């Protein structure tokens, strides 16, 4: 049994949860403690108590701790990547790359700790100086989803600790293994008791206790739009600082002048890798009519060549869907797409393998229209639709016709269209001739419209959420 980490101690939960491998339902990854609201409150109290000294502790101690966490993640990349792939279902290559990324994020913020600066300005009043400094926000609640079980916790926890906050971390129920392994590393990094706490458990219980506690100053959340909206409303009642990363319906525009192989690579990588279970996944291919037939036929061939299977099989390119509920949702959207009149050109049916798992053949709908539900709603599976358009202008209009605005992409050899697209597409991240999913760890991540709320995550911009600014006036 893997326990929760509260106030510097490993504590048994009030119940436990079995972690099942989606590639092999007979494989139990482990048993993990489930906290209740009372234990969540103990964690919050411990974090509050620890905050009194941690916020003023030497920055070298913080830098050392983050560096040590980053080093251990990198050293154990293969072992932790295997655990991640086993519990979440992304391939070994993807799982171990994610662990490396988490390590790099901790290393990045280890450096940022000692770079946090302020400003000193002359006052408009004589003999007065003005200093602007950054202080920790306080106690931060971190609530994460299942699709990046190590990287998303890392990109929230690392800056939270770097800037002197204490943390109460609630991972997604489906992936406690990676979260627990990360917590165990953090627990040995030399940070004081109570600065970091892990409380595994239900969103409606533990997550809710975090969001409604008056002792939590800020919440950083990644998950669904509906939960994010609810959390934002709850947080607003207490004027909490809120950072939300939610869904996407990311467009990949392919113009007639695109390099076809580049477009296919972007489509396969962006829409289907990680089983399409990424908020930055391309799910709408918006394709100009001159290249449409070639794009669709070449993409169908490429999909047929992809190996769907057990995440730990080195030959696998597309792992299983994460659980039964997600599989049901994916299959429901396959039905919806057909009933709306789109053509299911490839995939979309469960496939059987030697183990019992949630394997789904990656699906491509063709002749979709922008008004169809499969072109508007986030599916979160290996399913994308191709929408034919006449011109670049129409492609841009369709790309922007979405409640979401996380990532976007264009495949073109035209500098004019690439430049115009970067300026006018309404998304927080945009890609030219590279997939919509797959981002660097040292630059901002986030979107517009219903995709994100609050300051950007990652890179140097993370400081804006995890610190508060103080302006001090001094007369000598
Ligand atoms: P997903 O579809 O990715 O599971 P959710 O929004 O349901 O997205 O979950 C994202 C995270 O939010 C998970 O850690 C989940 O447990 C948590 N969560 C779900 N409901 C609530 C809630 N009412 N209050 C706080 N956290 C919640």
């Amino acid at each position: 049994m893997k326990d929760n980490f509260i106030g510097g101690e490993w504590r048994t939960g009030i119940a436990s949860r079995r972690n099942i491998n989606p590639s092999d339902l007979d494989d139990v990854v482990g048993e993990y403690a489930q906290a209740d609201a009372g234990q969540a409150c103990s964690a919050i109290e411990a974090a509050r108590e620890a905050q009194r000294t941690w916020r003023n502790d030497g920055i070298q101690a913080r830098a050392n701790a983050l560096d040590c966490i980053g080093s251990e993640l990198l050293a154990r990349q293969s072992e932790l990547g295997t655990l991640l792939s086993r519990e979440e279902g992304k391939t070994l290559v993807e799982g171990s790359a994610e662990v490396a990324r988490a390590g790099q994020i901790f290393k990045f913020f280890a450096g940022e700790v000692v770079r946090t600066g302020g400003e000193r300005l002359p006052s408009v009043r004589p003999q007065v100086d003005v200093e602007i400094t950054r202080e920790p926000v306080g106690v931060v609640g971190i609530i994460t989803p299942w699709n990046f079980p190590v990287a998303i916790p890392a990109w929230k926890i690392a800056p939270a600790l770097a800037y002197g906050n204490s943390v109460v971390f609630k991972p997604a129920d489906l992936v406690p293994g990676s979260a627990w392994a990360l917590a165990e590393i953090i627990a040995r990094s030399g940070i004081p008791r109570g600065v970091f706490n892990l409380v595994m458990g239900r969103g409606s219980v533990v997550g809710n206790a975090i969001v409604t506690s008056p002792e939590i100053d800020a919440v950083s959340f990644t998950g669904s739009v509906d939960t994010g909206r609810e959390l934002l409303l709850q947080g607003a009642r207490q004027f909490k600082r809120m950072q939300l990363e939610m869904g996407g319906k990311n467009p990949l525009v392919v113009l007639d002048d695109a390099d076809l192989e580049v477009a296919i690579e972007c489509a396969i990588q962006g829409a289907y890798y990680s089983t399409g279970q990424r908020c930055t996944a391309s799910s709408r291919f918006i394709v100009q009519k001159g290249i449409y037939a070639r794009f669709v036929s070449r993409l169908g061939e490429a999909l047929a060549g992809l190996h769907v299977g057990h995440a730990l099989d080195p030959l696998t390119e597309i792992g299983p869907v994460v659980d039964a509920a997600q599989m049901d949702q994916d299959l429901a959207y396959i039905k919806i797409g057909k009933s709306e009149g789109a053509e299911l050109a490839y995939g979309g049916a469960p496939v059987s393998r030697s183990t019992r798992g949630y394997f789904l053949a990656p699906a491509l709908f063709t002749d979709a229209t922008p008004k169809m539900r499969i072109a508007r709603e986030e599916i979160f599976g290996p399913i994308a639709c191709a929408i034919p358009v006449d011109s670049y202008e129409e492609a841009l209009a369709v790309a922007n016709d979405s409640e979401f605005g996380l990532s976007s992409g264009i495949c073109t050899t035209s500098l004019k269209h690439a430049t115009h697209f970067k300026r006018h597409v309404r998304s927080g991240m945009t890609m030219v001739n590279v997939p919509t999913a797959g981002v660097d760890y040292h630059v901002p991540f986030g979107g517009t419209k219903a995709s994100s709320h609050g300051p950007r995550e990652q890179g140097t911009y993370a400081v804006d959420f995890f610190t508060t600014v103080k302006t001090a006036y001094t007369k000598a």
Side-chain angles (χ1 to χ4, degrees), residues 7 43-56 62 135-142 156-169 186 191-198 210 215-220 465-466:
I44 295 166
E45 276 167 31
R48 172 61 63 199
E49 182 58 33
Q51 178 55 199
R52 288 185 228 292
T53 46
W54 175 247
R55 61 187 290 119
N56 299 316
R62 283 189 224 158
E135 297 184 348
V137 177
V139 180
V140 180
I142 288 176
K156 294 178 191 293
I157 294 168
L161 296 177
Y163 300 121
N165 303 284
S166 38
V167 168
V168 178
F169 167 40
I186 298 174
I191 61 168
R193 295 162 72 85
V195 167
F196 171 82
N197 303 271
L198 168 75
I210 291 171
E215 291 298 326
I216 292 278
D217 300 295
V219 173
S220 182
F465 181 74
F466 290 103

Side-chain angles (χ1 to χ4, degrees), residues 26-87:
D26 298 318
D27 177 27
V28 177
V29 181
E31 293 276 347
Y32 292 82
Q34 292 268 292
D36 62 2
Q39 286 185 314
C41 289
S42 301
I44 295 166
E45 276 167 31
R48 172 61 63 199
E49 182 58 33
Q51 178 55 199
R52 288 185 228 292
T53 46
W54 175 247
R55 61 187 290 119
N56 299 316
D57 269 359
I59 53 173
Q60 188 61 52
R62 283 189 224 158
N64 291 348
L66 294 177
D67 191 53
C68 161
I69 298 163
S71 295
E72 185 163 342
L73 285 166
L74 291 171
R76 294 173 59 194
Q77 178 184 353
S78 162
E79 170 212 342
L80 296 176
T82 304
L83 170 67
L84 195 166
S85 296
R86 196 171 152 215
E87 73 171 350

